Amino acid sequence: MIDLSLPLGLRDPTPDHSAHLAELSARLHRVFASFGYRRLLLPTLERLAVVERGLSGAALEGVLKFVEPGSGEVVAIRPDITPQIARLWAARPDALPDPARLCYDGPVLRVREARAGRPREVHQAGVELLGAGGPEADAEALALLRRSLDRAGLGAAVVEVGHARFAGEVLAAARLPRAARAAAEEALSRKDEAALAAAARGGRGRPAARDALPAQAGLYGEGALGRARTLARGIPGAARALAELEAALSLSRRRVREVEVDLGEVRGLGYYTGITFAGYAPGAGAAVASGGRYDALLARFGRPGPAIGFAVDLEYATQALERRDGARGVRPRRAPRR
């Protein structure tokens, strides 16, 4: 008997679910276009050498690669779309303006599930703003993320913002031994103040920097920015990161409803270089959107420049919409135009 099942970690969407994914992508692209972002259709395969330039060492472990029969080259099925856009930015400066506002959608594939129950193939729709830095570009990306979630029908989603360098500057100032730093990053991801205090005792930094380490566990929610200002007074790098975040929030205030701040977040530490953001919607099993500033990436492809972007996880976003509408006892409907 023929085994008709899919490989581990892949799923067959039903026609209804496929329609929901397609409709959500269409809604998002209408918003992207309204902000001046132009759509790209990108290949599924890339040379492995290109993919390696755009990913961290940990992310490379999830790349599905093989030898291409026609050329003998080692190629990879894309695990992320951002490196592809970085390659295009470097390879075709004649075809892309500077700055470039680009958007995309499509699947990415990983070797294994990122977590239990998480499919290996993830459908995304996202944007990249290449060649534009500073608080104005940060504010634009944040406003676009908020508008995208609203017009997609996810107005109840919470947008959470942080800064990639803030936590890193505090960790560096505490001067922890290598093993203790890894433990501190893990404790920070859990908001474990006691574990952070224990790690800080082994640091060689100034007392103010070591005291700041456990305080990071509380840098979220109401009053987080005020607490962060106090903490950063003795850590210049953290103060600069906080100033960048506050400048972006100030510029986006007219277009973005209240956001949640989390400056103890270590997600993407080492990849993101500035403001980070994520969207969390009721009914979704994980973040429906995530992104941030990644100014170091484009230089890896030979054309340096600032960059910022985000991707919406269409599966989780659709999951939130279906559960919301299922709870209401109605079919998912098209979000109204505004």
Side-chain angles (χ1 to χ4, degrees):
M1 181 178 295
I2 300 174
D3 183 357
L4 299 179
S5 63
L6 288 170
L8 184 66
L10 300 183
R11 299 176 182 175
D12 275 324
T14 65
D16 282 348
H17 188 65
S18 296
H20 297 168
L21 290 170
E23 170 58 21
L24 177 57
S25 180
R27 294 181 201 173
L28 291 170
H29 277 285
R30 287 195 289 270
V31 182
F32 300 162
S34 74
F35 275 67
Y37 285 72
R38 300 186 65 191
R39 190 171 187 174
L40 288 173
L41 298 176
L42 295 156
T44 304
L45 294 182
E46 289 279 354
R47 289 187 174 89
L48 181 62
V50 169
V51 172
E52 288 176 335
R53 285 181 178 271
L55 298 178
S56 67
L60 281 172
E61 295 178 4
V63 175
L64 188 63
K65 52 186 178 291
F66 59 92
V67 176
E68 208 279 325
S71 65
E73 292 182 304
V74 181
V75 298
I77 298 176
R78 63 184 181 200
D80 188 12
I81 293 176
T82 299
Q84 293 188 285
I85 294 178
R87 172 190 57 75
L88 185 62
W89 162 261
R92 293 297 308 276
D94 61 311
L96 298 180
D98 185 2
R101 289 173 171 81
L102 306 170
C103 59
Y104 62 85
D105 63 61
V108 297
L109 184 68
R110 286 80 185 250
V111 167
R112 60 185 66 87
E113 298 168 304
R115 63 180 71 89
R118 182 78 166 101
R120 290 167 53 201
E121 187 175 52
V122 178
H123 291 263
Q124 298 178 337
V127 300
E128 309 292 350
L129 174 52
L130 310 180
E136 294 83 4
D138 291 349
E140 177 180 316
L142 182 56
L144 177 52
L145 172 59
R146 179 71 265 174
R147 184 73 62 83
S148 297
L149 295 176
D150 289 346
R151 298 254 180 120
L154 296 170
V158 173
V159 174
E160 185 178 276
V161 299
H163 196 290
R165 295 202 317 275
F166 189 91
E169 293 288 350
V170 175
L171 286 166
R175 297 183 62 197
L176 303 180
R178 181 177 298 179
R181 174 160 178 149
E185 290 180 3
E186 175 60 30
L188 194 53
S189 70
R190 303 192 309 269
K191 304 289 190 287
D192 189 336
E193 186 174 354
L196 287 167
R201 286 193 287 271
R204 298 186 299 276
R206 291 186 298 107
R210 287 185 277 118
D211 291 344
L213 191 55
Q216 279 193 286
L219 291 186
Y220 64 92
E222 186 176 354
L225 288 174
R227 295 192 296 276
R229 291 187 205 106
T230 300
L231 182 153
R233 283 173 186 162
I235 306 173
R240 287 191 293 272
L242 182 60
E244 290 177 10
L245 174 60
E246 293 198 272
L249 291 175
S250 178
L251 286 174
S252 64
R253 189 168 293 136
R254 292 182 180 179
R255 296 191 289 176
V256 181
R257 300 195 307 273
E258 183 178 357
V259 299
E260 297 287 341
V261 173
D262 186 352
L263 281 162
E265 176 61 60
V266 291
R267 176 185 61 87
L269 205 62
Y271 176 81
Y272 292 113
T273 61
I275 189 172
T276 61
F277 27 75
Y280 297 94
V288 296
S290 62
R293 177 159 293 284
Y294 53 95
D295 286 349
L297 178 64
L298 299 184
R300 300 181 197 174
F301 293 88
R303 188 184 176 190
I308 188 169
F310 66 82
V312 176
D313 186 312
L314 296 179
E315 183 64 45
Y316 277 133
T318 299
Q319 182 183 86
L321 291 169
E322 290 177 343
R323 288 179 176 175
R324 180 203 66 186
D325 291 329
R328 294 176 179 174
V330 297
R331 295 174 58 192
R333 295 190 298 271
R334 181 186 299 270
R337 291 178 179 267
R338 298 180 185 176

